[in-house]
Every structure is written in structure tokens, then in C-alpha cells.
Amino acid sequence: MAAASRLRSFILVGLLPALLLYLIFVLVPIVWSAFYGFYEWKGIGAAKFLGLANYTEALRDPIFWKALKNNLIIVAASIFGQIPIALVLSLVLWKSSWFHRFVRSAVFMPMVLASVVIGIMWGYIYHPQIGIVNYVLDKAGLHSWIRDWLGDPKINMYAVCAPIIWANIGPYMILFIAAIQNISSEVEDAAKIDGAIGYKRLYLIVVPMIWDTIKVAIVLCISGSLKAFDLIYVMTGGGPAQSTELLATYMYNNTFNIFRYGYGSAVSTLIIVISMSLVLGSQLLMKRK
Amino acid sequence: MMKKLTVVLSSVLALSTLLAACGEKQGGDNTSAGAAKSGAGSSKIKLSIWHNFSGDDLRAKAVRAQIEKFKQANPEIELDAQAIPPDGYRQRLKTVAAANEMPDVFFTQSGTSIKEYYEGGLLQPITPLLDKYPDWKNNFFQGAFDPLSFDNKVYATPLSASATSLFFYNKSLFDKYNVKVPKTWDELMAAVKTFKDNNITPISLGNKAAWLAQSSILSSLANRVTGTEWFLKAAKQDGAKFTDPEFVQALTYFKSLADAGAFQQGFNSLDNTQMEQYFVQGKAAMMIDGAWALTNMAASGTKEQLDQVEVTVLPAIPGGKGDPNTISGGAGGGLALSKNVTGKKLDAALELIYTVSGPEGMQAIAESNSLVNYNVKIDPAKVTPLFYKAYTLTQNVKFTPVYDAVLSSAGAEAINNGLQELLIGGKPEDIAKKLQDAQAKSIGK
């Protein structure tokens, strides 16, 4: 009894620093920023209390909704792009042979590159004059397919999804490989005897056995996609004409280019609310399954 | 016993990391605050200066050399000079301004930028310095202090002149296709057509960062149509609106360039350096760009390429209200003085400003291939030929306001985004309305 309570107090003491840091640097700023959202402040001079005006303005601004739509495109691209590709790759590459390890590192490599590097690199890949995409299309005789990939508002949102998917497959693949390696060999053997091979093995054994990991991956996808900022900021800056604006770039531009700190705070509070409800909603959906 | 010790030790460790994290932050704040406050008491005067001449270009080096000169000449003054990269400079200044920890002397852009510090009550005028050196004061061009003055008091002198809409053209391409250098809008459109027909990009544009079309093309083009008076009124929302027909007409002119296919493919995803390279390599016949292009092109082009480049003003618009012999631009930013500086420190700060922006400084900056609003004799051998052409041109034209130096930050952002939209098919009326709404709202009208 005494030992148990001592253990518990040790756990508490051990958690305390992390908890304190989390409180001070995460929760308190969130509350503060929600509070600053009630004010108008240019960074210099006195702040003016506005009530809910910043929040209603954001909700009425069509660009805010466009940004949300763009974020949802990225959420969809991540869930339906990253997770299936990562799953397939993990099924193919789960062994530890030299070749598998090499391909695995190659897939994981974008994760260790700075996102500014990735952004600039893909900026050149999509470059309207010297970009390799247009060059290949040109050489393949597909002239009508040549586009200004990042400048044409009809397609640029989809064009920027490609590097986002490419750069983020790595960690999901690692997660899935770890989960697959954890499936006990008894289950695998039993399944084999019962004739579950190939696709059947995937649907009936692998996916159900690693379902919890997939759920975690989906939640990570959603929250990561709503935070998306760096790649888009480098590649398009949210432009042209705000066609690739995301919630985060919208917030950044309002806060640090127009210097509307209050409005930016209000937008970031809204981002938190939206992310929370999306993550909670997805969890509820998956629980029912 | 052992366990208790571990608990105590680990909590001490955790707390100390926490404290260290906090302590470091405070330490950082203290040094900058200390530099600002402690000057008066100690025998050695402590002075701080912030500027954004951090780069490797000639002008940045010239400015830093002047600051270094001041350091050498005044060993009794402890000078803390911070060169902060231009991207994010304004954000950093704003952050310390919010905490009331402004450096004693700092570089700020003219127009909207310095106005914010003035309105925040953070500046004091540099009148004593101008009174002390009247020759220096009188050598500045007429109107050079305008975007840096409030209430008839000068708060900074321009370190360099901005000229945002120089009309560059490639002489050999014009000769080759026998095209006349356009003096009117119709001639420009005819030139666009000829080059287009010969598979040469008529005008190089790179508007990814969105300010370029506004700062370089619209500022001059719209001025040709509306005149300066209308624009200043519209910016103040005092008797003119951006939805007025003359501004919509200016946007329509701009749009007609895009509709005629004057710009290269993908101009919305190229930045200004890429556009300058494209032009200097002879792939485009014309380019409308600011004085910064002079140094950028000199850095990337060969001598033969640069020799083909000529520079003039944007063509006139038929029936326009503005003077066609103008370039948008005027006084650039300068060194401003914090309100908190007093006594001996004030004298030192003024002397520092004079060392950097005085006659010697102006000469050095002009010879680093930068335009200035100050009467200097430039030795053509010391600057690049292209700069000398631009310099001679700017001596003979008048300057008109640049849009984003006069509009509020929100208004400038609205027109920047609006022009991107205009060039990919937006309607002039809609864009005019967006600018009108943003400007009216941000200045509270």
C-alpha cells in the first residue's frame, strides 16, 4: 500500500515539470490568444476592446472559408494519400534486408530535410519555365498538359498537395511497420492455415490488427494538415490572389503583414476550435466502426 | 532512502531546467533594456542602433562602414550596432516597440512605416541636427523630407531614394525588330504586339510576392491616369474613392496588358529576381521594376547583357491627369531617433545620425550604386554604367507617391492580392471595391 502510493507520488513528481511546461507554454497562450481576440491592437499604442467583432468578421470573411476549404483539401489529401501509400509501402518494405532498408530511408528522407528546402525544391520542380514537370510533359508531347502549376488558381491547391504527401509519408510508414512487426506470428500462421493470403491477409488480418495505429495516424494527419503552413508559405505564400491561402497563412498575413494582432489572435483561436472539433469528430466516427 | 533521494534530485533537476529556461529569457531582455536605460548614469555613454543593412551588397557595406567610422572616432561611446536582415526587420522593431524597448537610433521606412512609430509616440524630431548643419539640410532635394515629417517637423532624413517604376528596355531587341521606344500607351501596345508576334516575351514580370505589380507598375500607371492629388485624397478617403471611374480605368489599362499576353508564362509564380534575370538574359524586351533591379541585374548579368539595357519612364496615357515625366518613388527610409534619448546621449545619437546620413554618408551611398535624394556629384567611373543612366534619368524627373508607402498596411495587402487576381482574369471593378473597402475600414472611415 505504502509502496503503491509512493510510486504514485513519484509519477506525479515526474510528470510535474512536463505538465508545468505544457501549462505555461501551451494552455496559457491559448487562453491569452482567445482573450487578445477581443481587442484591436496594431502592435503600437493602446489596445481597443471590440467584443466579438474580430470573431464575427473572420466568420464573415469569404477568404477565411476559402482557407478552411483549402485546409480540408490537404486533410483529404493526407488521409487518402499519405495513409494508403504509407500502408502499402510498409507492407512491401517491412523486412530488414539491405534493399528494404535503403528504400525505407529514401522514403523517410524528406522528413529530415528542412521544409524550406522542400518548398524551394518543389518550387523549381513546378517552375513554369525551367521546371522538370513541364519539361517532361513537353518532351512527352503532352503540350496541352503544360500548366503554371503554382500560379493557376484552378489547380495550384492540388499541385501543392503533392509535396505535402511526399514529405510526410515517412513517419506513417515507420508507425505501420512497427505495428505490422508486432502482429504475433501465431495469428499470422493461423491465418495462413485458414487460407488468408494476399489481399485477404491485408483486409482480414493486417488492417484489423493495426487498426489502432491507423486511427492514431488519421488523427495525426488531421491535426498536422490543419497546422500546415511552411511548405505553402515557401511555395506560394498563399497566393496568387489568396488562392492557396490556408488558415495558418491567413492568420500569419493578418497578424504580421497587416499588423492586426487582435484579429490574428481571433483567427488562431478559431483554428484551435476547428481542429479540436475535427479531431473529436473523427474519433467518434471511428469508434462507431 | 535511496528512492527519496531520487525524487528530490529529479525534482531539483526539473526545476532547475525550468528556471534556466526562464532565466535565459529574462537575461536576453535585460541586455537590450539595459543598453537603453543605463546610458545616463555611467561615464561611458551607451548607444544602440538597429538597421537592416545586413547584406553583402555595396550599399549595406557603405552604411556599415559609416557606422564603423563613428565607432572609431568616438571611443568614449559604447555603440551597440545591430544589423538585422530586412525580412522580419519590421516585425522585430514592432515587437520591441510594443515592449517600449526601442533602440536609441533605428532605421525605418518612410511613409506608413515611420508614421506608425510617430503615432505611437516613440520618436523625437531631429531638428537640432538640421539646424546645426544648414548646408547639409539644403542639399536634400525638394520634398525629400515629406514622407518622413509630421506636423512640420523632420523625424529622419532619407538614406536613399526609392524609384520603384523604372522602365527598362533591351535596346538590341528594339533595334532588331525595328520597334520604337514607346512614349504613349498605343506605342506600348504596338510594341507588345510586335514582340509577341516574334515570340519574344514583351514585358518580364514576376509577381509571386505580390507587391511588385503594385509598387512598380500600378503606382506609376495609375498616377498617369488619376494624377497625384486624386490618389492622396483617395488614400485619406477624403473626397475620392478607389471605386471612382478613373481608378477603375487605370486597372483596366493594366489588365489590357495581361490580356494582350504581354507577360511571360507563369508570372504569378516567379519572384522579382527571376524576372530580372529573365529580362537581363534578353528573353524579354521590357521590364518595369524598381531601382533595386540595378544592383540585382549587375550581379547576375554579363557586361554585354547589361550594355543592352536602357532605362526611361513609363509611357504616357492619353487624356490622363498625371504628369507623364514622373517615376513613382521619392524619399526612402532613414534613421529615426527614439523619444527616450536625452542629455549627452542625445548629442551622441545625433552625431551618429549625421555620420551615417551626412554629406559623407550620402556620397558613399550614392557611389554604392544607390539613388539618393541629395545633391552629389557622382564620378561615372565609380559606378556601373546602367546605374549612371538611371541616376541621370532620376535627376530630370519628378517623383510621385508609391501606393504601399501611402496606403495603410491592410489597403496595400488588398491591392497586392487584387492585382494578382486582376492579372489572372479578375474584374477591375471588383478589385477597386476590395481596395476601397480595406482602406476605408483600416483608417476608420
Side-chain angles (χ1 to χ4, degrees):
Chain A
M1 194 60 206
S5 82
R6 207 190 290 162
L7 183 68
R8 190 175 293 165
S9 62
F10 179 71
I11 291 175
L12 271 179
V13 171
L15 279 178
L16 201 63
L19 196 67
L20 268 179
L21 284 174
Y22 181 75
L23 267 177
I24 294 171
F25 293 107
V26 179
L27 284 182
V28 172
I30 287 178
V31 175
W32 260 354
S33 128
F35 173 72
Y36 282 141
F38 295 123
Y39 288 86
E40 179 187 320
W41 188 49
K42 284 181 181 163
I44 295 177
K48 202 171 92 192
F49 185 75
L50 286 182
L52 285 169
N54 280 333
Y55 291 92
T56 49
E57 187 191 337
L59 292 175
R60 277 201 205 116
D61 186 354
I63 301 292
F64 176 84
W65 293 104
K66 189 182 199 174
L68 178 59
K69 194 191 117 203
N70 286 343
N71 264 113
L72 293 180
I73 290 179
I74 295 187
V75 171
S78 305
I79 294 180
F80 299 108
Q82 282 164 15
I83 292 184
I85 296 175
L87 190 58
V88 170
L89 283 173
S90 61
L91 287 171
V92 178
L93 299 171
W94 67 277
K95 287 184 199 126
S96 322
S97 76
W98 178 85
F99 175 74
H100 284 186
R101 263 191 275 167
F102 173 77
V103 179
R104 241 155 42 193
S105 322
V107 174
F108 196 76
M109 203 194 63
M111 277 311 290
V112 298
L113 290 179
S115 35
V116 176
V117 175
I118 297 175
I120 291 176
M121 204 167 87
W122 279 82
Y124 277 112
I125 291 176
Y126 283 137
H127 193 285
Q129 282 138 11
I130 55 166
I132 191 163
V133 174
N134 279 351
Y135 178 81
V136 167
L137 289 175
D138 184 46
K139 290 290 161 195
L142 296 164
H143 296 282
S144 59
W145 288 24
I146 289 179
R147 293 279 183 288
D148 178 9
W149 296 100
L150 295 178
D152 183 347
K154 286 193 209 79
I155 50 164
N156 53 8
M157 205 48 231
Y158 305 102
V160 293
C161 283
I164 291 176
I165 293 176
W166 175 76
N168 291 305
I169 287 177
Y172 298 116
M173 182 187 68
I174 301 289
L175 269 181
F176 292 152
I177 288 179
I180 289 172
Q181 284 172 343
N182 271 341
I183 299 176
S184 67
S185 52
E186 287 94 344
V187 177
E188 291 263 10
D189 291 342
K192 221 177 262 172
I193 292 167
D194 289 343
I197 36 171
Y199 285 112
K200 258 190 189 161
R201 173 174 159 259
L202 176 66
Y203 287 129
L204 297 174
I205 308 297
V206 177
V207 172
M209 291 296 281
I210 64 167
W211 183 242
D212 279 331
T213 312
I214 295 181
K215 274 204 287 198
V216 169
I218 290 176
V219 170
L220 286 177
C221 262
I222 294 173
S223 60
S225 307
L226 288 165
K227 281 192 303 197
F229 174 81
D230 38 10
L231 277 175
I232 301 257
Y233 188 74
V234 175
M235 283 192 291
T236 67
Q242 296 176 292
S243 54
T244 54
E245 199 83 271
L246 301 178
L247 289 171
T249 56
Y250 178 75
M251 185 271 285
Y252 181 88
N253 284 337
N254 272 298
T255 316
F256 298 108
N257 286 341
I258 312 185
F259 300 109
R260 293 182 66 194
Y261 290 95
Y263 187 67
S265 303
V267 173
S268 48
T269 308
L270 290 173
I271 296 178
I272 292 169
V273 172
I274 292 170
S275 315
M276 294 262 252
S277 41
L278 271 178
V279 168
L280 284 178
S282 68
Q283 290 224 314
L284 280 178
L285 263 180
M286 284 184 294
K287 212 174 240 174
R288 217 175 285 159
K289 266 183 195 169
Chain B
M1 185 60 216
M2 202 52 207
K3 258 188 189 158
K4 233 175 205 165
L5 192 68
T6 336
V7 171
V8 171
L9 273 181
S10 57
S11 47
V12 164
L13 185 73
L15 271 176
S16 58
T17 15
L18 200 75
L19 285 178
C22 297
E24 207 165 13
K25 192 167 167 258
Q26 259 172 4
D29 284 348
N30 274 342
T31 44
S32 57
K37 280 175 200 152
S38 62
S42 61
S43 59
K44 215 170 176 188
I45 299 174
K46 279 184 187 162
L47 198 61
S48 58
I49 177 173
W50 279 24
H51 60 85
N52 65 0
F53 299 95
S54 60
D56 231 4
D57 56 300
L58 291 173
R59 184 175 68 164
K61 280 183 188 161
V63 172
R64 287 205 301 269
Q66 291 302 117
I67 295 175
E68 194 52 40
K69 242 180 219 172
F70 177 83
K71 235 181 190 171
Q72 302 299 333
N74 298 283
E76 78 285 1
I77 296 171
E78 198 176 304
L79 184 68
D80 170 28
Q82 302 259 1
I84 294 157
D87 292 345
Y89 176 72
R90 200 167 157 199
Q91 280 83 345
R92 272 192 71 178
L93 258 186
K94 282 225 157 187
T95 314
V96 289
N100 202 14
E101 286 169 2
M102 292 298 269
D104 303 324
V105 176
F106 58 95
F107 175 83
T108 167
Q109 292 296 345
S110 55
T112 314
S113 221
I114 190 171
K115 196 168 162 216
E116 284 171 338
Y117 302 113
Y118 167 73
E119 285 175 344
L122 299 166
L123 303 180
Q124 59 175 311
I126 55 161
T127 327
L129 195 62
L130 292 162
D131 292 344
K132 192 173 167 192
Y133 302 104
D135 286 349
W136 171 60
K137 180 186 174 184
N138 294 332
N139 256 328
F140 279 98
F141 293 169
Q142 205 191 346
F145 298 142
D146 289 354
L148 297 157
S149 309
F150 306 97
D151 247 352
N152 290 322
K153 286 193 186 111
V154 181
Y155 284 82
T157 64
L159 273 185
S160 60
S162 76
T164 66
S165 61
L166 300 169
F167 184 91
F168 294 99
Y169 61 95
N170 186 314
K171 199 158 148 270
S172 18
L173 285 175
F174 271 75
D175 289 346
K176 188 173 167 197
Y177 296 104
N178 203 13
V179 183
K180 215 175 122 197
V181 177
K183 291 260 173 274
T184 65
W185 189 259
D186 291 338
E187 286 173 7
L188 176 67
M189 292 310 275
V192 165
K193 192 169 179 310
T194 313
F195 287 119
K196 188 90 188 144
D197 291 345
N198 286 294
N199 277 327
I200 305 265
T201 302
I203 302 176
S204 179
L205 176 65
N207 198 31
K208 180 184 168 189
W211 53 266
L212 194 118
Q214 167 265 119
S215 178
S216 293
I217 307 184
L218 186 78
S219 291
S220 242
L221 175 60
N223 194 276
R224 299 270 191 281
V225 182
T226 67
T228 306
E229 204 185 324
W230 175 89
F231 172 59
L232 294 177
K233 272 193 198 160
K236 284 191 203 123
Q237 295 286 300
D238 176 17
K241 282 195 162 98
F242 285 103
T243 42
D244 289 349
E246 49 261 65
F247 186 67
V248 175
Q249 199 198 358
L251 290 176
T252 312
Y253 274 116
F254 197 170
K255 188 177 161 65
S256 68
L257 278 179
D259 290 345
F263 309 117
Q264 72 266 51
Q265 204 207 349
F267 57 81
N268 264 335
S269 40
L270 303 174
D271 62 26
N272 69 303
T273 343
Q274 289 170 321
M275 109 181 182
E276 282 147 11
Q277 282 170 5
Y278 192 80
F279 171 75
V280 83
Q281 285 162 6
K283 291 180 185 158
M286 297 169 266
M287 176 173 79
I288 303 156
D289 200 359
W292 54 82
L294 299 166
T295 28
N296 291 356
M297 286 196 289
S300 65
T302 64
K303 194 181 173 309
E304 291 80 57
Q305 287 172 337
L306 287 170
D307 283 345
Q308 301 173 0
V309 178
E310 294 288 330
V311 56
T312 180
V313 294
L314 202 74
I317 303 255
K321 286 184 204 148
D323 178 358
N325 193 31
T326 56
I327 287 175
S328 60
L335 293 178
L337 185 57
S338 160
K339 188 154 213 167
N340 301 331
V341 184
T342 50
K344 266 190 182 166
K345 202 167 154 180
L346 178 62
D347 298 336
L350 287 170
E351 221 30 64
L352 170 64
I353 293 177
Y354 188 69
T355 313
V356 178
S357 34
E360 238 182 86
M362 286 287 114
Q363 185 79 33
I365 290 170
E367 282 173 359
S368 69
N369 295 321
S370 300
L371 299 170
V372 289
N373 304 72
Y374 186 85
N375 281 317
V376 278
K377 281 265 172 301
I378 292 189
D379 178 359
K382 282 193 175 166
V383 294
T384 61
L386 182 58
F387 172 76
Y388 198 70
K389 284 176 203 165
Y391 170 78
T392 326
L393 177 75
T394 54
Q395 299 286 305
N396 299 312
V397 297
K398 284 204 187 106
F399 285 100
T400 61
V402 183
Y403 264 56
D404 61 2
V406 178
L407 292 175
S408 66
S409 306
E413 179 89 355
I415 188 64
N416 283 351
N417 287 324
L419 288 179
Q420 284 190 331
E421 197 183 326
L422 182 77
L423 297 179
I424 50 180
K427 281 219 306 274
E429 291 82 7
D430 297 349
I431 285 138
K433 183 160 187 313
K434 276 184 195 167
L435 170 57
Q436 169 62 26
D437 290 349
Q439 181 69 12
K441 184 164 183 287
S442 60
I443 62 170
K445 287 244 173 165

Short mmCIF file of all heavy atoms in Angstrom, two decimals, chain B residues 392-430:
data_model
loop_
_atom_site.label_atom_id
_atom_site.label_comp_id
_atom_site.label_asym_id
_atom_site.label_seq_id
_atom_site.Cartn_x
_atom_site.Cartn_y
_atom_site.Cartn_z
N THR B 392 21.07 59.62 -63.97
CA THR B 392 20.83 60.80 -64.81
C THR B 392 19.34 60.97 -65.06
O THR B 392 18.83 62.09 -65.02
CB THR B 392 21.56 60.65 -66.16
OG1 THR B 392 22.76 59.93 -65.94
CG2 THR B 392 21.87 61.98 -66.77
N LEU B 393 18.65 59.84 -65.30
CA LEU B 393 17.21 59.92 -65.53
C LEU B 393 16.50 60.51 -64.31
O LEU B 393 15.67 61.41 -64.44
CB LEU B 393 16.66 58.51 -65.83
CG LEU B 393 15.15 58.43 -66.02
CD1 LEU B 393 14.75 59.00 -67.37
CD2 LEU B 393 14.67 57.00 -65.91
N THR B 394 16.84 60.01 -63.14
CA THR B 394 16.11 60.45 -61.94
C THR B 394 16.41 61.91 -61.60
O THR B 394 15.64 62.53 -60.88
CB THR B 394 16.43 59.59 -60.72
OG1 THR B 394 17.84 59.55 -60.54
CG2 THR B 394 15.90 58.19 -60.88
N GLN B 395 17.52 62.46 -62.12
CA GLN B 395 17.79 63.88 -61.89
C GLN B 395 16.81 64.76 -62.65
O GLN B 395 16.63 65.92 -62.32
CB GLN B 395 19.21 64.24 -62.35
CG GLN B 395 20.31 63.49 -61.64
CD GLN B 395 20.53 63.99 -60.23
OE1 GLN B 395 20.75 65.16 -60.02
NE2 GLN B 395 20.44 63.09 -59.28
N ASN B 396 16.18 64.19 -63.70
CA ASN B 396 15.37 65.01 -64.60
C ASN B 396 13.88 64.69 -64.53
O ASN B 396 13.14 65.07 -65.41
CB ASN B 396 15.86 64.85 -66.04
CG ASN B 396 17.28 65.28 -66.19
OD1 ASN B 396 17.65 66.35 -65.71
ND2 ASN B 396 18.10 64.45 -66.79
N VAL B 397 13.46 63.92 -63.56
CA VAL B 397 12.02 63.62 -63.47
C VAL B 397 11.52 64.03 -62.11
O VAL B 397 12.29 64.32 -61.20
CB VAL B 397 11.74 62.11 -63.67
CG1 VAL B 397 12.16 61.66 -65.04
CG2 VAL B 397 12.42 61.30 -62.59
N LYS B 398 10.21 64.04 -61.98
CA LYS B 398 9.60 64.28 -60.67
C LYS B 398 9.19 62.93 -60.09
O LYS B 398 9.01 61.95 -60.82
CB LYS B 398 8.37 65.16 -60.84
CG LYS B 398 8.71 66.61 -61.07
CD LYS B 398 7.51 67.47 -60.62
CE LYS B 398 7.72 68.91 -61.00
NZ LYS B 398 6.87 69.30 -62.12
N PHE B 399 9.02 62.90 -58.79
CA PHE B 399 8.60 61.65 -58.14
C PHE B 399 7.14 61.72 -57.72
O PHE B 399 6.64 62.77 -57.33
CB PHE B 399 9.47 61.37 -56.92
CG PHE B 399 10.83 60.87 -57.30
CD1 PHE B 399 11.92 61.73 -57.32
CD2 PHE B 399 11.01 59.55 -57.66
CE1 PHE B 399 13.18 61.27 -57.69
CE2 PHE B 399 12.26 59.08 -58.02
CZ PHE B 399 13.34 59.94 -58.04
N THR B 400 6.47 60.59 -57.85
CA THR B 400 5.07 60.51 -57.40
C THR B 400 4.98 59.42 -56.34
O THR B 400 5.86 58.56 -56.28
CB THR B 400 4.14 60.13 -58.58
OG1 THR B 400 4.55 58.85 -59.07
CG2 THR B 400 4.20 61.16 -59.68
N PRO B 401 3.95 59.47 -55.50
CA PRO B 401 3.92 58.52 -54.37
C PRO B 401 3.79 57.05 -54.80
O PRO B 401 3.14 56.74 -55.80
CB PRO B 401 2.69 58.95 -53.57
CG PRO B 401 1.97 59.92 -54.40
CD PRO B 401 2.86 60.43 -55.46
N VAL B 402 4.43 56.18 -54.05
CA VAL B 402 4.29 54.75 -54.26
C VAL B 402 3.05 54.31 -53.47
O VAL B 402 2.85 54.75 -52.34
CB VAL B 402 5.52 53.99 -53.74
CG1 VAL B 402 5.40 52.51 -54.02
CG2 VAL B 402 6.78 54.54 -54.37
N TYR B 403 2.26 53.42 -54.07
CA TYR B 403 1.00 53.05 -53.42
C TYR B 403 1.18 52.53 -52.01
O TYR B 403 0.55 53.00 -51.07
CB TYR B 403 0.25 52.04 -54.30
CG TYR B 403 -0.79 52.72 -55.18
CD1 TYR B 403 -0.41 53.73 -56.04
CD2 TYR B 403 -2.13 52.37 -55.11
CE1 TYR B 403 -1.34 54.38 -56.83
CE2 TYR B 403 -3.08 53.01 -55.89
CZ TYR B 403 -2.68 54.02 -56.75
OH TYR B 403 -3.60 54.68 -57.51
N ASP B 404 2.07 51.55 -51.82
CA ASP B 404 2.10 50.94 -50.49
C ASP B 404 2.79 51.80 -49.45
O ASP B 404 2.76 51.49 -48.26
CB ASP B 404 2.68 49.52 -50.53
CG ASP B 404 4.10 49.48 -51.02
OD1 ASP B 404 4.67 50.55 -51.31
OD2 ASP B 404 4.65 48.36 -51.14
N ALA B 405 3.43 52.91 -49.88
CA ALA B 405 4.00 53.80 -48.87
C ALA B 405 2.95 54.76 -48.34
O ALA B 405 3.15 55.40 -47.32
CB ALA B 405 5.18 54.59 -49.46
N VAL B 406 1.83 54.86 -49.06
CA VAL B 406 0.79 55.80 -48.65
C VAL B 406 -0.43 55.07 -48.10
O VAL B 406 -1.04 55.50 -47.12
CB VAL B 406 0.37 56.70 -49.85
CG1 VAL B 406 -0.74 57.64 -49.45
CG2 VAL B 406 1.58 57.48 -50.35
N LEU B 407 -0.76 53.92 -48.71
CA LEU B 407 -1.92 53.17 -48.24
C LEU B 407 -1.63 52.58 -46.86
O LEU B 407 -0.47 52.41 -46.47
CB LEU B 407 -2.21 52.01 -49.21
CG LEU B 407 -2.71 52.38 -50.60
CD1 LEU B 407 -2.83 51.10 -51.43
CD2 LEU B 407 -4.05 53.06 -50.52
N SER B 408 -2.68 52.24 -46.13
CA SER B 408 -2.50 51.51 -44.87
C SER B 408 -2.01 50.09 -45.20
O SER B 408 -2.13 49.65 -46.33
CB SER B 408 -3.82 51.45 -44.13
OG SER B 408 -4.72 50.67 -44.87
N SER B 409 -1.48 49.40 -44.18
CA SER B 409 -0.99 48.03 -44.44
C SER B 409 -2.09 47.16 -45.01
O SER B 409 -1.86 46.38 -45.93
CB SER B 409 -0.47 47.40 -43.15
OG SER B 409 0.47 48.21 -42.54
N ALA B 410 -3.30 47.31 -44.47
CA ALA B 410 -4.41 46.47 -44.96
C ALA B 410 -4.78 46.85 -46.39
O ALA B 410 -5.06 45.97 -47.22
CB ALA B 410 -5.61 46.61 -44.03
N GLY B 411 -4.75 48.14 -46.69
CA GLY B 411 -5.06 48.58 -48.06
C GLY B 411 -4.03 48.05 -49.04
O GLY B 411 -4.37 47.57 -50.12
N ALA B 412 -2.74 48.11 -48.65
CA ALA B 412 -1.68 47.62 -49.53
C ALA B 412 -1.84 46.13 -49.78
O ALA B 412 -1.71 45.66 -50.91
CB ALA B 412 -0.32 47.91 -48.91
N GLU B 413 -2.14 45.38 -48.73
CA GLU B 413 -2.35 43.93 -48.88
C GLU B 413 -3.52 43.66 -49.82
O GLU B 413 -3.45 42.76 -50.66
CB GLU B 413 -2.61 43.32 -47.49
CG GLU B 413 -2.87 41.84 -47.48
CD GLU B 413 -1.61 41.02 -47.33
OE1 GLU B 413 -0.51 41.63 -47.34
OE2 GLU B 413 -1.70 39.79 -47.21
N ALA B 414 -4.58 44.47 -49.70
CA ALA B 414 -5.76 44.25 -50.55
C ALA B 414 -5.43 44.49 -52.02
O ALA B 414 -5.83 43.70 -52.88
CB ALA B 414 -6.90 45.15 -50.10
N ILE B 415 -4.68 45.56 -52.31
CA ILE B 415 -4.39 45.83 -53.72
C ILE B 415 -3.34 44.84 -54.25
O ILE B 415 -3.42 44.42 -55.39
CB ILE B 415 -3.99 47.31 -53.97
CG1 ILE B 415 -3.89 47.61 -55.47
CG2 ILE B 415 -2.70 47.69 -53.29
CD1 ILE B 415 -5.16 47.49 -56.23
N ASN B 416 -2.40 44.42 -53.41
CA ASN B 416 -1.43 43.41 -53.84
C ASN B 416 -2.13 42.15 -54.30
O ASN B 416 -1.89 41.63 -55.38
CB ASN B 416 -0.48 43.05 -52.70
CG ASN B 416 0.57 44.12 -52.47
OD1 ASN B 416 0.70 45.04 -53.25
ND2 ASN B 416 1.31 43.99 -51.39
N ASN B 417 -3.02 41.64 -53.43
CA ASN B 417 -3.75 40.42 -53.79
C ASN B 417 -4.69 40.69 -54.96
O ASN B 417 -4.87 39.84 -55.82
CB ASN B 417 -4.56 39.91 -52.59
CG ASN B 417 -3.66 39.30 -51.55
OD1 ASN B 417 -2.68 38.65 -51.87
ND2 ASN B 417 -3.99 39.50 -50.29
N GLY B 418 -5.27 41.90 -54.97
CA GLY B 418 -6.21 42.25 -56.03
C GLY B 418 -5.54 42.25 -57.40
O GLY B 418 -6.11 41.78 -58.38
N LEU B 419 -4.30 42.75 -57.46
CA LEU B 419 -3.63 42.80 -58.76
C LEU B 419 -3.30 41.41 -59.26
O LEU B 419 -3.39 41.14 -60.46
CB LEU B 419 -2.36 43.65 -58.67
CG LEU B 419 -2.59 45.15 -58.53
CD1 LEU B 419 -1.27 45.88 -58.43
CD2 LEU B 419 -3.41 45.70 -59.69
N GLN B 420 -2.93 40.51 -58.36
CA GLN B 420 -2.71 39.12 -58.79
C GLN B 420 -3.98 38.58 -59.41
O GLN B 420 -3.96 37.90 -60.44
CB GLN B 420 -2.30 38.26 -57.59
CG GLN B 420 -0.87 38.46 -57.16
CD GLN B 420 -0.44 37.43 -56.13
OE1 GLN B 420 -1.26 36.95 -55.36
NE2 GLN B 420 0.84 37.12 -56.11
N GLU B 421 -5.09 38.89 -58.75
CA GLU B 421 -6.38 38.41 -59.25
C GLU B 421 -6.70 39.05 -60.60
O GLU B 421 -7.15 38.38 -61.53
CB GLU B 421 -7.46 38.77 -58.22
CG GLU B 421 -8.74 38.00 -58.38
CD GLU B 421 -9.78 38.46 -57.36
OE1 GLU B 421 -9.39 38.81 -56.23
OE2 GLU B 421 -10.97 38.47 -57.72
N LEU B 422 -6.43 40.36 -60.70
CA LEU B 422 -6.71 41.09 -61.94
C LEU B 422 -5.97 40.45 -63.12
O LEU B 422 -6.53 40.27 -64.19
CB LEU B 422 -6.25 42.54 -61.79
CG LEU B 422 -6.51 43.47 -62.99
CD1 LEU B 422 -7.97 43.86 -63.03
CD2 LEU B 422 -5.64 44.71 -62.92
N LEU B 423 -4.71 40.07 -62.88
CA LEU B 423 -3.90 39.57 -63.98
C LEU B 423 -4.24 38.14 -64.36
O LEU B 423 -3.79 37.65 -65.38
CB LEU B 423 -2.41 39.68 -63.63
CG LEU B 423 -1.92 41.11 -63.42
CD1 LEU B 423 -0.47 41.14 -63.06
CD2 LEU B 423 -2.18 41.97 -64.65
N ILE B 424 -5.02 37.45 -63.51
CA ILE B 424 -5.47 36.12 -63.94
C ILE B 424 -6.96 36.15 -64.23
O ILE B 424 -7.63 35.13 -64.15
CB ILE B 424 -5.12 35.01 -62.91
CG1 ILE B 424 -5.56 35.43 -61.52
CG2 ILE B 424 -3.66 34.67 -62.95
CD1 ILE B 424 -5.25 34.39 -60.46
N GLY B 425 -7.49 37.32 -64.53
CA GLY B 425 -8.86 37.38 -65.03
C GLY B 425 -9.88 38.05 -64.14
O GLY B 425 -11.07 38.01 -64.42
N GLY B 426 -9.44 38.68 -63.04
CA GLY B 426 -10.39 39.38 -62.17
C GLY B 426 -10.97 40.61 -62.85
O GLY B 426 -10.42 41.11 -63.83
N LYS B 427 -12.09 41.10 -62.29
CA LYS B 427 -12.73 42.28 -62.87
C LYS B 427 -12.21 43.54 -62.19
O LYS B 427 -12.15 43.60 -60.97
CB LYS B 427 -14.25 42.20 -62.66
CG LYS B 427 -14.92 41.29 -63.65
CD LYS B 427 -16.24 41.73 -64.16
CE LYS B 427 -17.46 42.12 -63.53
NZ LYS B 427 -18.43 41.19 -63.13
N PRO B 428 -11.82 44.59 -62.97
CA PRO B 428 -11.30 45.82 -62.37
C PRO B 428 -12.24 46.40 -61.30
O PRO B 428 -11.77 46.84 -60.24
CB PRO B 428 -11.18 46.77 -63.56
CG PRO B 428 -11.03 45.90 -64.75
CD PRO B 428 -11.77 44.64 -64.44
N GLU B 429 -13.54 46.39 -61.56
CA GLU B 429 -14.49 46.98 -60.60
C GLU B 429 -14.41 46.26 -59.25
O GLU B 429 -14.42 46.90 -58.19
CB GLU B 429 -15.93 46.88 -61.12
CG GLU B 429 -16.24 47.75 -62.32
CD GLU B 429 -15.79 47.11 -63.63
OE1 GLU B 429 -15.36 45.93 -63.60
OE2 GLU B 429 -15.86 47.78 -64.68
N ASP B 430 -14.35 44.92 -59.28
CA ASP B 430 -14.32 44.16 -58.03
C ASP B 430 -13.06 44.48 -57.23
O ASP B 430 -13.09 44.60 -56.01
CB ASP B 430 -14.33 42.65 -58.32
CG ASP B 430 -15.60 42.23 -59.02
OD1 ASP B 430 -16.53 43.06 -59.08
OD2 ASP B 430 -15.65 41.09 -59.52
#
